[in-house]
Structure formats: structure tokens, C-alpha cells
Amino acid sequence: MLNVLMLKFQFMSYRGYLDNITAIGPRTVGSPENEVLAVNYLLEQIRRIERESTDAHKISVDIQRPTGSFSIDFLGGFTSYYANITNVVVKLEPRNGAEHAVLSNCHFDSVPNTPGASDDAVSCAVMLEILNTLSKSSESLQHAVIFLFNGAEENILQASHGFITQHEWAKSIRAFINLEAAGVGGKELVFQTGPENPWLVQAYVVAAKHPFASVVAQEIFQSGIIPADTDFRIYRDFGNVPGIDLAFIENGYIYHTEYDTSDRILTDSIQRAGDNILAVLKYLATSEKLAKSFEYRHGNVVFFDILGLFVLAYPARVGTIMNYITSAIAFFYLSKKVLQPKPRAVHNLKKLLTAFSLTLTSWVCTLVAVLMVAMFVSFIGRALSWYTHFYVSVSLYGTAAAAKLILVHMLAKKFFYKNVNEQSLGDVFFDASLMIWSIALAVMTQMGLCSAFICTLWVAFPLLTKLMIHREFSQKGATIKFILMYMLGMFVPYLYMLYLSWTVFEMFTPVMGRSGSEIPPDMVLAGFIVIFTMILSSYFINFIYLVKSTKTTLITLTTVFVVTLILVCSGIFFPYSSNAANPKPKRVFLQHTSRRFHDLDGNVVKSDSGIWINGFDYNGISHITPHVPEINDTIRTPCEEQAPFCGLPWILPVHFMFRKNWYLPAPEILPRSPIQFKLLSKKLIPWNSVRLSFEVSGPSHMSLYVRPRAGAALSRWSLGDGMPVASLGGDYFVFYSRGLHAAPWHFWVELTDPEKHSDGILSLAIAAHYFFGEDQKSPQLYALLERFPDWTFSSGWSCTYDLFVF
């Protein structure tokens, strides 16, 4: 009874913290809500915990307000500058102090116009309760635990950079746990570890009560397919510290929207996350390996959970040996089959290679056919029909893939293998699938991919099954028994693959609603479905040749596909949903913008104002036009070719993801706190170079766009490490943010120009973004937002844009 009450008490603490943080409202960097109210609440709770802690511990609290700059290759590459942002740092250590520490990181800021419950208030709530629990323990920890409540993660990882590069406690950190979100609740997935340091994964394996981890997710995330990043990168790249990255992944449809509220995060999710993170932190804080982590740093690790029950983890070098041995055994088995009897070796090899080629051909034909269907659906304007109804994607693309696979092999059986024994065909196509998986295993292992363990499953278990079953359907009475034993042998790889596919689709499907206007989401999802169909069918292709007829199956699949395609074309499956219990909104960003373009003498040569509109998915504004008729394709935004980034006020350099946007004319906006931009000095320096120094004062968020004129080159600047980093397209992008009471921003740029240019050597533009306060939304923007349908999440703010030539 006592344990039950304790668990309930802990949950109520988590929930109380979470509700109070989100009740503050959106916590945008620089806003009073983020810099004052949220900070004061955290300090109030930390001081209370400090008062109630036992004598075994010492609690130190520090408010850090760093200023700094760095470059990052995220989103094509840009430079970040921050000033006077806020970190709340707490150190829990033994009374006599500790030399080494483990870091736990969350962030309390949110994106504009959202309460940010899952991203990342719930993690901060969990950390507060973990601090409370550890501080009340009578047992002293061996190492310190540093809790970083960082106040500027949504500004592309600025606060973590300020901490790890500038705070005095950062030097003692030997490992970290980063708590993030890519969805709202559910299980928290370990999707990044290391780099190297396999002992950290082992710590999670031993300590976590409810494990959920995948090296597959790690390799997918680090490939850059998902347009996101976390503080893990900063600690890894700038602090040279290894760690574990966890994130909630379920229900990503409402991630970064107004629906990310505390009531949508389930009790079980909070308790589960608290149990796991408390156990892992306590394990690390009492581990001998933490102090000597440098001795255990070498080598990567293969890790994956089994249905959330436990985690299998082993060194990557062990995995490499296992993989090569497995593939070698498979190739030995195949060569033995080919060479027996020897007189028929050439014939056997020809049969195997033919089956191998046919299998690959069927996969290619299936992929091409299904992608053509996806292309057609996208072309007629029915993309994302499955966004709210995921079963539609299975009914449309899954059935098409299965039907095409069966059709290819049915035709091969009928015309190419007309007079061949069915039993021998079944056997040779099994061997062909085994050969494909063995090659894939060897190739992926050679590439150093830890995800090659999946191929090991698909080689080892089918091969063991085949070796244990010696009958080749020669006796009719043995058919059912053979099939049952065959299915049983395939159970493990099939079960794991279904479990993995659920995780992948849980992560990727919502991402398609915020992946930009350029990537057809239907083709991406269709591709995933085809891949999983090919994997799951690879060892059942042989049954097409063993059964008398697959006509009924083919007709059924084709019927389901045709009916679904007709329904999709009719528009019956609307992509978005305003269902209060499970919303799946369309994301639209609107910026009421005033633009001014200056010439070399500082005169305004062009100006305009309007509401700049970006739809975050492939459908653009096609579904919005019926509700707001003036937003249509006649107001597509033109590109100002002479200006960097087309003369548009991008808050981040995502121009390559959103090439289709719209500009609705609107009255000029006059912010009460306008931007102040000054050229302080122009200095000629050796080697045909010039240094331009600037001063900028403005709102908490600004974007700087730089383009050297033809013949000139940007050689150095005062930002980052001093070496300019170009974004995609060749222009330079600087993201600026500040907390309260920051001094004016000073920076300089150096340009090399071997020739004199009468029209200047540099185009420089600056956009000021008003994310909160009285300047955030104009009356015209408010009125337009009110007209948007309830199945949209429309986030709006005001901004100004000024282009100068020097």
C-alpha cells in the first residue's frame, strides 16, 4: 500500500509541475513568460526542494545568462548568435563535493503560439521530481548530478551551447541524458547514444525499467532524413561529452502546435519516463565507470529492445564478427546446394541466379508501379489522404505492392517456369531470398551500419528453419506440418519487423505533415510501405510457386486497391482533422511583413507590405482557398533575384523546403519597437579587403542575410569561429536571439574584393520578428487568422525586412 501511495504521490508531483509550467502560456525566448515567469517558477520549486532535502546532499543553484555564437550544418548550414539567454542550473552532490558529474538536460522554452507541454515542459517536470526524489534520499551519491533547465533550445540549441562552452560546472561532466520530444506522450525512445562509449548503453540496459531503444532510429535520425536536431549534437560536438538522447515519439501530429497541452500527455507516459530516467541517472551517479569514462569510450554498440520488455546490446565489433560468420554460413549452404550433385552444378547455379534476378526484378517493378500510383495521387491534388486515416495508405499502397509482387511471380510461373516442378521452384526461391539477405548483410556490415543486425535475423532464423526441415513437400500429409514449422521458424524476424515498422511509421507519418512543399509525401510513404512489403514477403515468394493458384488472392488485393484509389480520387478522405480528442491539423505560418529595399546611397527604391503565407506540407494552400478565396495561386510570391534568400523574411534557412509560398497584399505595419540598423565603420585592410562594422537593436528574434556581390568574397566575420558558413544556395544566414536587457548587437564582416564595384560589394538584409507582445499581430493578421478553418494550426506574427547595399 505504501509503494502504491508513493507512486501516486510522484505522479501528482509530475502533473503539478507540468500543469503549472504550461499554464504560463507560450514561452518564447526573450518573452517575459520565458525569461521571468518560467524562471521564477523553476527557482521557487528548486528552493523548496532544497529546503526539504536531507543532510546527505548539497544543492547549488546558478542562473546563467550566456552570450555566444556558433555555426552548425543543420538545415543546410547557418550561424547562430545569442545574447543574454537564460539557463537555470542545479547541482546535486555529496556534502563533501564531487569531482565528476552526469548531466540531465531539458528545455522550458517553447515555439511561439504553443504551450509546449510535451516539448519540453513534461521533461522539466520529470527532472524536478527526480531532483526532489534524489535530494530526499538518505544515501549519498558518488558523483554529482547537474540538472540543466535550459531556456533556449527551440532557438536551434543556443542555451545548451552557452552552458557547455561557458559554464564552470560543464568541465566536470562525463556523460549526459537529454530529454526531448518529437511527439506528444507515449514511450520515450532512445534514438541516439554515444558517440562510442558503449558503457552508456549498457547503463541504460541495466537500469531502465521500461526500455525502448533502437540503433535503427539512431542511424535514421543521424542520416538527416528527419528535419530536426537536439541538444545532443551540441554536447557531442562542442563539449566532447557522450550521452543518451530520449524523445517521446507518439502522436507527432500535434507536436509544435496549440494542441500540445498537458492534458494530452497520459499518466502512464509521465510515470514511465520518470521511472526510467531516475533509474538511469541514479545508476550513472553511482557508477565507477563515470569517473573513468575515457577508458571505456572506444567502440560503437548495437542495441534494440524486444517488444519493450528488455534491450539486447552488444559491441559493434562483436556484431561485425557475428554478421560475417552468419553470411559465410549462408553462402556455404548455398554453394553446397549449387554443387550437389556436381554434374548439375552449372544448371543449379543458373536456376539460383535466375530466381535471384526474378526476385530483384519483382521488387523493382513493384517499387516503380507503386511510386507511379503515388505520383498520380499527388498530381491530382489528393496527397496526404492517409494523414488522418493511416489505413488508407495500407489499402492503397500496401495492396498495390502485394498485388504487383504476386503478379510478377505468377506470370513467371505461368510462362517462364511452365513445366518445372513446383517443389523445386519453392526451394530455389527460398534460396534466392536467402542469397539476397546474405548479400545485404555483408554489404551493410562492410558499411559499418549497426542496423545490419536486422539482416542477421533474416538470414539466421530462416536458414536454421530450413536446416531443421528436410522435407520438400514431397508428401501431401506433411504439407500442413511443414507450413506450421516454417511459420514458427520465421516468427522471430517477422514479429520484430512488424514491431520495428510500427515504430518507423509512428515517427515518420506525422513528419510528412511538416516536411515542406517540395517532397511529395505520398511517394515517401509509398516507398516505405513497398520496402516493408518486400521485406515481409521475401520468404513467402516461394509459396507463390508452391500453391496451385494465387488468382483469388490477386483479385482480392486488386479489388481493394481499385476501390481505395477511386475513393481517394473522389476526395472522400480529407487529410486533416479538427477532432477535439485526436486533432491532426494542417500547419500554416503567416507573417505580416513590411519590406524596404535600399540602394547604395541608402534611398528606398522599393517597398511593399503583405501577409506572407507558408503551408508546411505538400498540399500548400489548396484546401484553404475555398475558405479564404483571396489566398490562391494568383498571389504566389515572386523571388527578388538581387536579394539574398529571394528577399523574403525567413526565420530559419528552410527556403529549399518551401519554394511555394504566397504573398497577400496588406497595409504597412509600424512596430512600436522598430529595428535600428547602423553601419558603424568601414575600414580598408591589407590584401584588397574591407571590414564593415554594424550595430543592430531590435526584437528578441532577428535574421541576417548576407550575399557578397559578384567578384567579392566574404572571407571572415566576428561570428561563430570566424569562418563564414554558407547556406544552401550560396547566401549566408545568421539567426539571432536574445533574452531580456541585452546590449545592442555588434558584428563585423570582412570582404575581399580585387576589383572596384560601382554598385557595391555586399547585399545585406535583416528581418525583425515579433513573436510576442503588442507588436506580434496586426489587426489585419488577426482578422485573417480568424477566417482559417478549425482543422488548421495557423501561427502568425509580424516582421519587417530591410535590404541594404554597401
Side-chain angles (χ1 to χ4, degrees), residues 496-518:
Y496 182 77
M497 205 65 209
L498 289 170
Y499 177 64
L500 180 63
S501 64
W502 168 81
T503 305
V504 170
F505 285 119
E506 186 74 43
M507 290 175 63
F508 268 96
T509 306
V511 170
M512 294 296 98
R514 56 180 190 270
S515 58
S517 63
E518 303 307 300

Side-chain angles (χ1 to χ4, degrees), residues 507-687:
M507 290 175 63
F508 268 96
T509 306
V511 170
M512 294 296 98
R514 56 180 190 270
S515 58
S517 63
E518 303 307 300
I519 302 173
D522 277 64
M523 296 191 70
V524 175
L525 191 72
F528 274 118
I529 290 175
V530 169
I531 289 169
F532 280 108
T533 302
M534 292 189 302
I535 292 172
L536 294 172
S537 66
S538 57
Y539 284 104
F540 282 93
I541 287 173
N542 52 332
F543 280 90
I544 298 173
Y545 295 91
L546 290 169
V547 298
K548 288 184 177 180
S549 174
T550 53
K551 188 178 293 185
T552 303
T553 304
L554 184 61
I555 291 172
T556 303
L557 289 170
T558 304
T559 302
V560 173
F561 163 70
V562 171
V563 170
T564 306
L565 181 61
I566 292 171
L567 292 175
V568 166
C569 293
S570 71
I572 195 171
F573 299 115
F574 190 69
Y576 315 106
S577 170
S578 59
N579 184 303
N582 190 22
K584 295 179 179 176
K586 176 182 178 62
R587 299 162 191 258
V588 186
F589 279 18
L590 301 93
Q591 297 170 236
H592 192 164
T593 305
S594 287
R595 300 191 298 175
R596 294 181 300 180
F597 299 81
H598 302 76
D599 63 13
L600 191 58
D601 297 320
N603 301 314
V604 176
V605 294
K606 178 183 177 181
S607 65
D608 61 32
S609 58
I611 297 177
W612 186 45
I613 303 165
N614 277 283
F616 259 50
D617 63 48
Y618 188 76
N619 285 328
I621 46 87
S622 59
H623 292 88
I624 293 172
T625 301
H627 301 268
V628 190
E630 60 266 40
I631 300 178
N632 55 62
D633 279 337
T634 64
I635 57 166
R636 284 279 293 273
T637 312
C639 176
E640 300 288 344
E641 298 291 349
Q642 82 282 5
F645 293 92
C646 282
L648 298 170
W650 297 103
I651 182 63
L652 288 169
V654 291
H655 53 293
F656 60 94
M657 296 173 61
F658 301 92
R659 299 191 189 281
K660 297 193 288 284
N661 38 67
W662 296 262
Y663 198 66
L664 180 66
E668 181 182 8
I669 57 169
L670 299 170
R672 295 170 179 83
S673 304
I675 193 171
Q676 301 293 325
F677 184 83
K678 300 177 184 177
L679 173 64
L680 296 180
S681 65
K682 177 181 177 182
K683 180 181 179 182
L684 296 175
I685 56 178
W687 309 108

Side-chain angles (χ1 to χ4, degrees), residues 389-408:
H389 321 278
F390 184 73
Y391 64 87
V392 173
S393 66
V394 179
S395 298
L396 183 64
Y397 302 125
T399 56
K404 186 65 176 181
L405 274 172
I406 292 173
L407 178 62
V408 171

Side-chain angles (χ1 to χ4, degrees), residues 146-158:
I146 295 174
F147 297 86
L148 173 58
F149 301 87
N150 93 54
E153 189 273 348
E154 297 296 357
N155 283 13
I156 315 300
L157 322 177
Q158 291 177 335

Side-chain angles (χ1 to χ4, degrees), residues 27-64:
R27 301 170 302 284
T28 310
V29 172
S31 68
E33 289 80 4
N34 192 68
E35 310 300 326
V36 179
L37 298 180
V39 170
N40 287 346
Y41 175 76
L42 289 170
L43 289 174
E44 177 186 329
Q45 300 309 309
I46 292 164
R47 296 301 185 194
R48 177 187 59 78
I49 292 169
E50 184 180 13
R51 290 193 301 270
E52 298 173 359
S53 65
T54 66
D55 293 336
H57 309 282
K58 180 171 69 174
I59 296 179
S60 306
V61 184
D62 185 50
I63 305 299
Q64 184 199 23

